[in-house]
Amino acid sequence: MENPRSSHCPVIRPGPALGCNFCWNTIDGHGRILRRKTKYHCPECQTNLCIVPCFQEYHERLNNEQEAATSSTTTSATNTATRPQNNALPSSSNNTSSHNNGSNNQSQENRVNSQTSRHYGKTES
């Protein structure tokens, strides 16, 4: 089999409907928060998923992430194998790092400030 995820099939789970692990609390194209519940799940992944479109999209994303992880590990392994080991740093690199500290501190402060701003929902003020 070329794609091992193609054998995954949705199954009805006993008990009450639970929130979909893929789309629960996401925002759709119209800005609405999705809170869909489902009785279906993927027994191989042990994940509650809506049949359409979450089941297919979840497995496609999972497959893409696994392919990206395997390709990045193989490329990093080949890069480290072919890269010469040079432990000596030129003296000019020490001078440039002291000049960049001011700009790095400013960019870190900007990231912290952007993370502290909170977006309010429709019912909050």
Side-chain angles (χ1 to χ4, degrees):
M1 251 191 305
E2 188 172 308
N3 185 0
R5 299 235 170 259
S6 63
S7 65
H8 289 215
C9 296
V11 177
I12 293 180
R13 189 185 49 73
L18 297 174
C20 175
N21 289 18
F22 188 75
C23 69
W24 185 265
N25 276 343
T26 58
I27 298 174
D28 68 358
H30 299 289
R32 297 175 294 206
I33 297 174
L34 297 177
R35 291 195 177 101
R36 290 189 292 197
K37 292 188 175 187
T38 182
K39 291 192 79 160
Y40 290 91
H41 76 291
C42 179
E44 289 88 1
C45 299
Q46 298 179 351
T47 305
N48 299 322
L49 296 165
C50 302
I51 294 223
V52 176
C54 298
F55 194 87
Q56 181 177 357
E57 289 179 8
Y58 172 82
H59 288 99
E60 286 175 355
R61 183 180 293 178
L62 193 63
N63 193 25
N64 291 340
E65 288 173 356
Q66 287 178 346
E67 287 177 0
T70 57
S71 67
S72 67
T73 56
T74 56
T75 57
S76 66
T78 57
N79 288 342
T80 56
T82 58
R83 187 182 317 142
Q85 295 294 328
N86 188 1
N87 293 335
L89 295 175
S91 61
S92 64
S93 67
N94 292 337
N95 294 337
T96 57
S97 64
S98 64
H99 294 295
N100 291 335
N101 278 344
S103 63
N104 287 343
N105 290 340
Q106 289 175 349
S107 64
Q108 288 175 352
E109 288 176 10
N110 290 340
R111 275 189 240 125
V112 170
N113 290 337
S114 67
Q115 291 174 354
T116 57
S117 62
R118 184 170 183 261
H119 297 284
Y120 292 101
K122 292 179 182 177
T123 58
E124 297 177 310
S125 59

